[in-house]
């Protein structure tokens, strides 16, 4: 797709999180720390899964991809955001559309990686005897490939609908993100089709993924409640708890961000809600899957012993 700009705007200026000069340095240091923790945490988990044969299972294959996506989509905006704290918050038209495409690609893909992880937990708990057959390497690969295809299709739809718009008046984005809804407010042409594309794509992706996850966990809960021993129920539920928390954080923060950003009067709330969605959730995911996962902690201990001793 050619990034063709039919408007007179060649660059955009972002308002950012705060226009107060005295807050720029503290905010820079805060988000630099969050970004460093996110990068180190995700790269560490990716490396740990890659070098430990004990983690070469379907569940950790999906977790590997989740860490990769979290790392990538936090890298789409955060480096430019850090740069904006110490220099001008200006981005070219091409750069804006490129960031928009990759952000949509990784966020849409993550929705269906979380669906794949829910399906993995369903097979592990509801059909344990068929688990290794049902979750073969080929099936896992197809699930991940499908997740990335859906992400790519959604990103193409969002970016394509933005490329048809003209920007000829204001070029100041009242946000710190190059997101669809703040950009729509700047267009000097009709945004009806672009809005229709945006809400259709988001609605389909969110509804299908959330419905799939809810059905999977309804069946999982039904199976867990049929386990006779309390210890067995506790053990089965513990294998799902990290994923449930990750799903709640991702979909909950995403829904709040889009609901607040959808209304111009709530743009300031949406700006700060998106901080949690873009910057904090990828960091928390790694804490959730590291601190609550015995296999990861055991593999980390063995790896550190091999490296240090």
């Amino acid at each position: 797709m050619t990034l063709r700009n039919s408007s007179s705007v060649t660059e955009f200026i972002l308002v950012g999180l705060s226009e107060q000069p005295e807050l720029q340095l503290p905010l820079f240091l805060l988000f630099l720390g969050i970004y460093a923790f996110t990068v180190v945490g995700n790269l560490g988990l990716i490396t740990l899964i890659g070098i430990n044969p004990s983690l070469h299972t379907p569940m950790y294959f999906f977790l590997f991809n989740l860490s990769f996506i979290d790392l990538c989509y936090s890298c789409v905006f955060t480096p430019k955001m850090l740069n904006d704290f110490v220099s001008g918050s200006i981005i070219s038209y091409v750069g804006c559309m490129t960031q928009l495409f990759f952000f949509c690609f990784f966020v849409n893909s993550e929705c269906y990686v979380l669906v794949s992880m829910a399906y993995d937990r369903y097979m592990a708990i509801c059909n344990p005897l068929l688990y290794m057959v049902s979750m073969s390497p080929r099936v896992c690969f197809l699930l991940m490939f499908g997740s990335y295809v859906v992400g790519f299709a959604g990103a193409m739809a969002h970016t394509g609908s933005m490329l048809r718009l003209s920007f000829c008046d204001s070029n100041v984005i009242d946000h710190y993100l190059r997101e669809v809804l703040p950009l729509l407010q700047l267009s000097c042409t009709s945004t009806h089709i672009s809005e229709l594309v945006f809400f259709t794509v988001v609605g389909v992706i969110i509804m299908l993924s959330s419905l799939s996850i809810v059905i999977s966990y309804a069946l999982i809960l039904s199976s867990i409640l049929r386990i006779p021993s309390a210890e067995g129920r506790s053990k089965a539920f513990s294998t799902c708890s990290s994923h449930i928390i990750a799903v709640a954080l991702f979909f909950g923060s995403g829904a709040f961000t889009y609901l607040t950003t959808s209304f111009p009067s709530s743009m300031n709330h949406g700006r700060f809600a998106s901080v949690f969605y873009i910057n904090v959730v990828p960091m928390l995911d790694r804490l959730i899957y590291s601190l609550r996962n015995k296999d990861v902690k055991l593999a980390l201990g063995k790896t550190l012993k091999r490296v240090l001793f």
Side-chain angles (χ1 to χ4, degrees), residues 44-45 60 66 131 140 189:
L45 192 55
Y60 292 105
L66 182 66
Y131 178 69
C140 292
T189 54

Side-chain angles (χ1 to χ4, degrees), residues 279-290:
N279 301 96
V280 179
V281 169
M283 178 185 69
L284 292 179
D285 278 351
R286 300 297 68 74
L287 288 173
I288 293 167
Y289 280 104
S290 299

Side-chain angles (χ1 to χ4, degrees), residues 5 41 103 141 167 180 213 220 255 259 264 271-272 275:
N5 183 8
F103 173 70
F141 171 79
F167 302 92
V180 174
I213 291 172
I220 288 171
L259 286 174
R271 194 184 307 169
F272 291 103
V275 168

